[in-house]
Amino acid sequence: MSQSYAVLDADGHVTESYEQIARYLDEPYRRRSLTFPLYTADGWDRRLVDKFHDWAGTADEWLRALDTGGMELAVLYPTLGLFMSFLKDREWAVRLCRAYNTLMHEGTHLLGDERFLPVYEEADRLGVMLGIHASGSHLGGAGVDLFSKFIQAHTCSHAFGQMRQITSVVFEGIPERFPRLRIAFLEAGCGWAPYWMERMDDEYAKRAEEAPTLTRKPSDYIRGGSIYFSCEADEWLLPQALKLVGENQIVYASDFPHWDHSFPGSIDEIKERGDITDTQKRKILGENTRRLYGLKP
């Protein structure tokens, strides 16, 4: 007899258009030219429009996707908006963020730097989670800009970005200061997390004085129940992540409709895995996401 699972998507995407955003911009920014789609922000032909055609820029398109995958609900992040942090013009960035918030009611994704403490304080006060999401681009630096092919930049960008961010978040003491604050690291898988926990523990054992806010090992904070990771359905190291991070902290993410998603097949991939338990599948596909976002049963 097959198991029944309530499926909640922790990380889907709105493929918003420039025209949709422009409607909510203040003047004079609303009059900016919309020719940019032919010249991508990071110079890569990332969409593979001749090969992958999924698009989900409206509520109707997403409702059809939910029905196709048999999902109860999905939490949506921007697509173009993932490049928000790369804007240099502060006034332009403020106006664009305001337009995004009006359009999609989405926040921004920040590092654990001291400058962002008011954001963490407000999220903690409101009891809401913070999603840390990569952009899949070389613009974040760390040597990814040296690659000559997008396949190389994309392979590294998500994972390297998440490693940098969790390093900042933990060593700056965000989990120590805000132990109830739920933080999710999205779209880089979860297999890297145990390795990075061990590496941070090793650094902390030798240089603890450089992270004076911490009272425990980095891995203890990550295992504490408030830090989540999205998984890929076919990850080799998913069982290890469930064991070493915690089976209550791994969530399913469709990544629909981006070119590298495998939805709705990814749901069945998790259901059919023989190396994780039915309880773990139920938690990954729904229960953990409900807890992460504070959703009512």
Side-chain angles (χ1 to χ4, degrees):
M1 183 176 178
S2 61
Q3 294 287 324
S4 177
Y5 304 93
V7 181
L8 282 69
D9 184 358
D11 175 23
H13 288 274
V14 175
T15 44
E16 69 282 7
S17 69
Y18 288 88
E19 289 77 13
Q20 284 175 304
I21 301 164
R23 289 200 300 270
Y24 298 96
L25 280 171
D26 300 327
E27 295 288 2
Y29 298 96
R30 188 180 301 175
R31 297 197 302 270
R32 285 200 175 193
S33 171
L34 299 181
T35 59
F36 296 107
L38 295 178
Y39 305 91
T40 57
D42 61 358
W44 297 112
D45 181 13
R46 58 175 49 249
R47 285 294 304 168
L48 296 181
V49 293
D50 290 333
K51 188 175 182 181
F52 301 106
H53 305 283
D54 289 317
W55 202 260
T58 67
D60 287 343
E61 288 167 335
W62 254 105
L63 288 172
R64 285 195 294 271
L66 291 176
D67 290 340
T68 299
M71 290 196 297
E72 182 177 325
L73 58 83
V75 178
L76 304 181
Y77 288 80
T79 295
L80 297 175
L82 296 177
F83 290 90
M84 195 77 72
S85 61
F86 299 124
L87 294 178
K88 302 295 185 183
D89 184 330
R90 296 183 62 159
E91 182 64 21
W92 169 232
V94 168
R95 302 298 183 91
L96 199 52
C97 282
R98 188 176 296 155
Y100 257 99
N101 289 337
T102 304
L103 175 64
M104 296 191 293
H105 305 287
E106 289 288 351
T108 188
H109 315 284
L110 303 168
L111 294 169
D113 192 280
E114 289 276 356
R115 293 168 294 177
F116 299 121
L117 274 178
V119 175
Y120 292 102
E121 289 172 352
E122 185 66 6
D124 185 57
R125 185 185 71 81
L126 294 173
V128 298
M129 61 80 72
L130 286 177
I132 297 178
H133 197 296
S135 70
S137 171
H138 71 282
L139 293 175
V144 180
D145 54 320
L146 301 177
F147 291 125
S148 61
K149 299 290 185 181
F150 185 59
I151 188 174
Q152 300 167 359
H154 192 264
T155 296
C156 297
S157 57
H158 284 80
F160 288 6
Q162 298 290 38
M163 289 174 180
R164 292 199 308 273
Q165 296 222 29
I166 198 170
T167 299
S168 178
V169 164
V170 172
F171 282 128
E172 291 289 346
I174 299 304
E176 173 69 27
R177 302 178 201 208
F178 309 104
R180 299 176 303 170
L181 178 60
R182 303 182 304 281
I183 303 175
F185 292 86
L186 303 168
E187 206 170 311
C190 60
W192 61 274
Y195 161 68
W196 209 247
M197 290 160 61
E198 183 179 38
R199 184 167 180 82
M200 287 195 293
D201 277 0
D202 185 59
E203 292 288 327
Y204 183 69
K206 298 177 177 66
R207 310 179 72 99
E209 66 277 4
E210 295 178 32
T213 307
L214 274 60
T215 60
R216 295 180 287 159
K217 297 185 299 182
S219 61
D220 289 338
Y221 290 105
I222 296 172
R223 291 193 186 100
S226 296
I227 296 180
Y228 294 72
F229 302 86
S230 66
C231 69
E232 301 295 334
D234 57 353
E235 279 194 74
W236 296 349
L237 298 179
L238 177 55
Q240 287 77 8
L242 289 165
K243 176 182 178 181
L244 297 172
V245 174
E247 64 180 38
N248 294 328
Q249 296 164 238
I250 307 297
V251 297
Y252 167 73
S254 74
D255 196 35
F256 181 83
H258 287 175
W259 62 269
D260 50 344
H261 80 86
S262 58
F263 172 82
S266 53
I267 297 174
D268 287 334
E269 284 187 83
I270 292 177
K271 289 180 179 179
E272 294 167 4
R273 288 189 68 135
D275 55 355
I276 60 177
T277 68
D278 286 335
T279 297
Q280 290 171 332
K281 294 173 186 177
R282 188 172 64 251
K283 289 181 176 182
I284 292 169
L285 288 170
E287 292 178 7
N288 294 348
T289 297
R290 196 178 299 278
R291 189 184 319 106
L292 168 62
Y293 287 100
L295 302 172
K296 295 181 180 178

